[in-house]
Amino acid sequence: MPDFNDDLRLAHILADAADAATMERFKALDLKVETKPDMTPVSEADKRAEELIRSQLGRARPRDAVLGEEYGFEGTGPRRWIVDPIDGTKNYVRGVPVWATLIALMVRGEHGDEGVVGVVSAPALGRRWWAVKGGGAYTGRSLSSATRLRVSRVSRLEDASFAYSSLGGWEEQGRLDGFLDLTRSCWRTRAYGDFWPYMMVAEGSVDFCAEPELSLWDMAANEVIIREAGGRFTSLDGTDGPYGGNAAASNGLLHEQMLGFLNRT
């Protein structure tokens, strides 16, 4: 199996650069924020972080392609870096510390692109999570000071903790009734939002989470970390991987039960 540890180390360097840029402007009174065509906000910090990541990748991996939320797709080849410079921009611009830079590497194989490296860095929380294919998932301050992540072993809905982002998207897709029935079947529900529920699934502090509408850059890094922590990451139709435009992540034991509720019509 190919060794992607050099790419993991590079992803940490990229995250360090992004963290410095985003923290420098976090809670700045003169932070510039614009509205994109899809009516979501983008700040100068989003753009700066992605520019830094692209610049460093251009020097360190000039043959690799890059897909980022703010500047789109660039390059060709079997290796593609997926970047969300600030996942949780609405939190960022309001001074809420729950946001992160998401960096993933996907490599083309016999069965399509596969995530092989994932880093999620949340500097305002003082947390970072990462994983490399075949090497497990970890959290900590650095590669040399880390704790291995493992999903929970909870197997009954009535004992499970379920995390989500909001209600609106489920209602828009006609899935709200099934979603609400699922929440009523669980021991606990919380709307943490964005990257954080996926990291808690990987840590075993939450048992499953789901979102009805996402882009690849929202999911690619999370998917690698969930998978390497022993969990399962699919679209709402049950297809493995981060390609379905939505996501369901779990410890694996509760996955089919979750999907059964969320696909009720």
Side-chain angles (χ1 to χ4, degrees), residues 206-226:
V206 164
D207 305 303
F208 58 93
C209 63
E211 290 185 86
E213 186 175 2
L214 293 169
S215 297
L216 180 59
W217 49 74
D218 298 311
M219 298 183 280
N222 296 335
E223 189 269 342
V224 182
I225 295 170
I226 292 284

Side-chain angles (χ1 to χ4, degrees), residues 85-152:
I86 299 179
D87 183 54
T89 299
K90 291 178 181 178
N91 283 346
Y92 184 88
V93 302
R94 290 296 301 270
V96 178
V98 183
W99 49 270
T101 295
L102 279 53
I103 301 169
L105 173 62
M106 307 193 81
V107 175
R108 191 172 305 146
E110 294 181 9
H111 305 292
D113 289 355
E114 179 186 18
V116 296
V117 169
V119 172
V120 173
S121 189
L125 295 176
R127 298 293 309 276
R128 185 177 290 185
W129 303 261
W130 65 88
V132 63
K133 180 182 178 181
Y138 296 85
T139 185
R141 294 287 184 178
S142 67
L143 284 166
S144 60
S145 178
T147 301
R148 186 151 189 177
L149 302 177
R150 298 190 187 279
V151 296
S152 75

Side-chain angles (χ1 to χ4, degrees), residues 10 24 28 33 78 128 141 151 153 181 186 220 239 242 262-263:
L10 173 59
E24 182 180 3
V33 182
R128 185 177 290 185
R141 294 287 184 178
V151 296
R153 301 300 298 169
D181 286 343
C186 297
T239 301
L262 296 178
N263 285 304

Side-chain angles (χ1 to χ4, degrees), residues 28-213:
L29 296 179
D30 60 344
L31 180 72
K32 295 181 177 63
V33 182
E34 303 170 3
T35 300
K36 294 191 287 189
D38 65 359
M39 302 307 294
T40 61
V42 58
S43 74
E44 62 182 89
D46 292 79
K47 294 179 178 180
R48 179 58 178 156
E50 186 167 326
E51 288 166 356
L52 286 170
I53 291 171
R54 285 176 178 269
S55 177
Q56 293 199 23
L57 283 173
R59 293 192 297 271
R61 298 289 190 275
R63 296 182 179 180
D64 291 356
V66 182
L67 172 64
E69 179 176 10
E70 307 308 334
Y71 294 106
F73 190 75
E74 180 181 12
T76 60
R79 291 165 45 97
R80 177 171 54 156
W81 294 85
I82 313 296
V83 178
D84 188 344
I86 299 179
D87 183 54
T89 299
K90 291 178 181 178
N91 283 346
Y92 184 88
V93 302
R94 290 296 301 270
V96 178
V98 183
W99 49 270
T101 295
L102 279 53
I103 301 169
L105 173 62
M106 307 193 81
V107 175
R108 191 172 305 146
E110 294 181 9
H111 305 292
D113 289 355
E114 179 186 18
V116 296
V117 169
V119 172
V120 173
S121 189
L125 295 176
R127 298 293 309 276
R128 185 177 290 185
W129 303 261
W130 65 88
V132 63
K133 180 182 178 181
Y138 296 85
T139 185
R141 294 287 184 178
S142 67
L143 284 166
S144 60
S145 178
T147 301
R148 186 151 189 177
L149 302 177
R150 298 190 187 279
V151 296
S152 75
R153 301 300 298 169
V154 173
S155 59
R156 301 196 314 161
L157 281 179
E158 55 265 40
D159 299 326
S161 179
F162 170 39
Y164 59 97
S165 289
S166 65
L167 297 179
W170 301 104
E171 185 172 24
E172 290 170 8
Q173 292 192 8
R175 300 177 186 263
L176 184 59
D177 288 344
F179 171 86
L180 292 175
D181 286 343
L182 176 59
T183 66
R184 297 181 185 111
S185 301
C186 297
W187 167 66
R188 189 171 192 257
T189 61
R190 285 294 183 272
Y192 298 106
D194 300 308
F195 69 94
W196 209 5
Y198 301 94
M199 298 304 97
M200 288 191 278
V201 170
E203 291 178 341
S205 53
V206 164
D207 305 303
F208 58 93
C209 63
E211 290 185 86
E213 186 175 2

